[in-house]
Amino acid sequence: ILKRFSMWSSRVFSVEVDGAPRYFGIREQLRGEPVPPDVFSEVQKQDRCYSLLVCSGDRVTGDRFHWELRDRLQRQLPPGSGLRSMSSFIPDQKGSLLKGYFLQSRAGNSSLIEDILTDLEQRNPVLVCSYSQSEDGQQWTQCLWYQSEDNPVRFCVVPSETPKHHPSVLNMINSDVFYSLDEACDVLKQCGDIIPETRSVLGMLPSSLDARRKPDFPVIVIEGLDATGKTTLTESLRDSLGATLLRSPPQCLSAWRGRFDREPPLIRRAFYAVGNYITAEQINQEASKSPVIVDRFWHSTAAYAIATAVTGPVSNLPHEGAEVYHWPGDLLQPSLVILLTLDPEERKRRLRSRGLMKTDEEEELDHNKLFRTRVEEAYRRIVGSACIALDASPSADLVLQQALLLIRAKCHL
Ligand SMILES: Nc1nc2c(ncn2[C@@H]2O[C@H](COP(=O)(O)OP(=O)(O)OP(=O)(O)O)[C@@H](O)[C@H]2O)c(=O)[nH]1
Ligand SMILES: Nc1ncnc2c1ncn2[C@@H]1O[C@H](COP(=O)(O)OP(=O)(O)O)[C@@H](O)[C@H]1O
């Protein structure tokens, strides 16, 4: 294990507390006064802490195992145990990200937890560590477990300064956000045995895709959070402009969408990415005959993926201009993207007036302000097609008039 992680002591560890990452590091020897990192500050005297990191060589099986492991631990851990998302990484080293969980035993449950972890470690590609504190509670040590050794390796736990980038940024390109059809298809092809539906999804792809073909008629994408009024506006624009109305994911994938919404981000985002490419081909065909209006496209895919992968405040997002915000080179670029913006309270009112929330992400948007502001800011940072924000709070008819003015000005319709 340690050979595979030769730079183990240069790793930073991140534990999610109240929706934001808290960091700590490890050292082979303690230099200076012991200062317990704040992630351990609430740990009681008799509690023990553990970390479980997935280190599978294959990212599809690793991501699915990590995804299923949360429910499994929630079922198996004794009541009252603490379970938090965790990651470990070497700052600024792409591909160094390991995802896992941070566990906290309560009231002497540690032997039960240690049995669960030992069993997990013997059957799965996981790295288990236990954390114990000194008598005075001032110093924590990390002890690396692995079943073959009975003298585990120990490290001193030390505070870590906040890294320049959120750990998820190291792993985002072609894992949370896909920048080519081939990359997205590769992920879905690897799932063929475990998710048979991927073959049907891939079967929907056209034989040839030409991202560089310039559509004859304007292509206008309407973006925005749920209940900002996209459906209402896109249908009115279709009628006012005699346009064709398309959406992403396309209708032909509707039967499988729920199935992929239950998968880990790697597979789910590959599904939505393939959906964008199928929609792009439909746009190409329709835009030779009339203007095309699209309900959600690349902005939704990238914004939700980036805002989900990164936790905590907006400042944790990749900086403006970062590679993650760039439009894929092989994906059709619309003539204009209109981003509907709306006051959160009005959006909630409209959501209630329309009925059920759509996806778990929408639930998350509703009660997690941090997530909502990350989605909104990620939308704004995406470069490629001109994206113009439009206030969606006036009446549906006024919003329609405003949108028509924008389209006429930008697309000469
Ligand atoms: N369309 C789309 N939705 C995504 C994507 N990634 C995640 N989602 C989730 O799916 C939801 C969108 O589902 P839709 O059926 O388009 O919901 P909606 O916001 O009502 O969209 P409209 O009905 O077109 O107004 C988003 O709010 C996200 O929670 C993506 O790449 N494309
Ligand atoms: N400009 C508007 N003013 C007031 N209510 C609106 C407006 N646009 C849409 N609505 C209502 O808000 C709800 C959500 O609109 P919808 O078009 O479904 O949003 P989205 O497609 O973005 O989820 C619907 O009940 C719709 O009738």
Side-chain angles (χ1 to χ4, degrees), residues 225-227 230-231 247-249 257 268-269 272 295-296 300-301 304 354 358-359 361-362:
L225 300 188
D226 212 358
K230 295 184 301 304
T231 304
R247 61 181 19 239
S248 178
R257 182 173 185 174
R268 181 169 187 232
R269 304 301 174 195
Y272 280 109
D295 182 340
R296 288 184 187 273
S300 278
T301 306
Y304 279 101
R354 184 188 64 186
K358 284 275 176 116
T359 61
E361 272 164 340
E362 287 319 318

Side-chain angles (χ1 to χ4, degrees), residues 1 4-5 8 11 51-70 73 86-88 95-101 120 124-128:
I1 288 269
R4 263 191 68 185
F5 297 104
W8 183 256
R11 283 183 162 270
S51 61
L52 185 66
L53 292 165
V54 176
C55 45
S56 162
D58 171 85
R59 62 177 184 163
V60 167
T61 45
D63 262 43
R64 292 197 93 228
F65 172 62
H66 172 257
W67 189 251
E68 290 153 5
L69 188 54
R70 175 184 291 279
L73 288 170
M86 176 179 201
S87 59
S88 163
S96 67
L97 183 70
L98 296 175
K99 291 188 263 189
Y101 300 98
L120 269 172
N124 302 286
V126 292
L127 209 56
V128 176

Side-chain angles (χ1 to χ4, degrees), residues 22-56:
R22 289 198 190 170
Y23 301 104
F24 65 87
I26 54 172
R27 294 288 176 275
E28 292 181 45
Q29 279 92 26
L30 184 66
R31 284 186 287 274
E33 279 304 301
V35 176
D38 64 3
V39 77
F40 294 96
S41 53
E42 296 95 55
V43 180
Q44 305 304 319
K45 193 92 189 97
Q46 75 282 10
D47 292 352
R48 290 290 297 272
C49 296
Y50 306 86
S51 61
L52 185 66
L53 292 165
V54 176
C55 45
S56 162

Side-chain angles (χ1 to χ4, degrees), residues 222-235 247 295-296 340 342 346-347 349-355 358 362 391-400:
I222 306 298
E223 287 281 2
L225 300 188
D226 212 358
T228 44
K230 295 184 301 304
T231 304
T232 307
L233 178 60
T234 51
E235 289 171 355
R247 61 181 19 239
D295 182 340
R296 288 184 187 273
L340 296 182
L342 189 61
E346 170 59 13
R347 195 176 76 84
R349 194 194 62 72
R350 292 185 189 181
L351 204 52
R352 278 194 295 275
S353 73
R354 184 188 64 186
K358 284 275 176 116
E362 287 319 318
D391 177 10
S393 45
S395 70
D397 191 53
L398 261 180
V399 172
L400 171 62

Side-chain angles (χ1 to χ4, degrees), residues 321-342:
E323 188 184 354
V324 289
Y325 299 115
H326 291 189
W327 199 275
D330 63 352
L331 182 65
L332 176 141
Q333 286 210 23
S335 327
L336 172 64
V337 179
I338 295 178
L339 174 62
L340 296 182
T341 58
L342 189 61

Side-chain angles (χ1 to χ4, degrees), residues 244-261:
T244 304
L245 174 53
L246 295 173
R247 61 181 19 239
S248 178
Q251 196 58 36
C252 64
L253 294 189
S254 305
W256 303 299
R257 182 173 185 174
R259 175 70 189 79
F260 286 89
D261 274 343

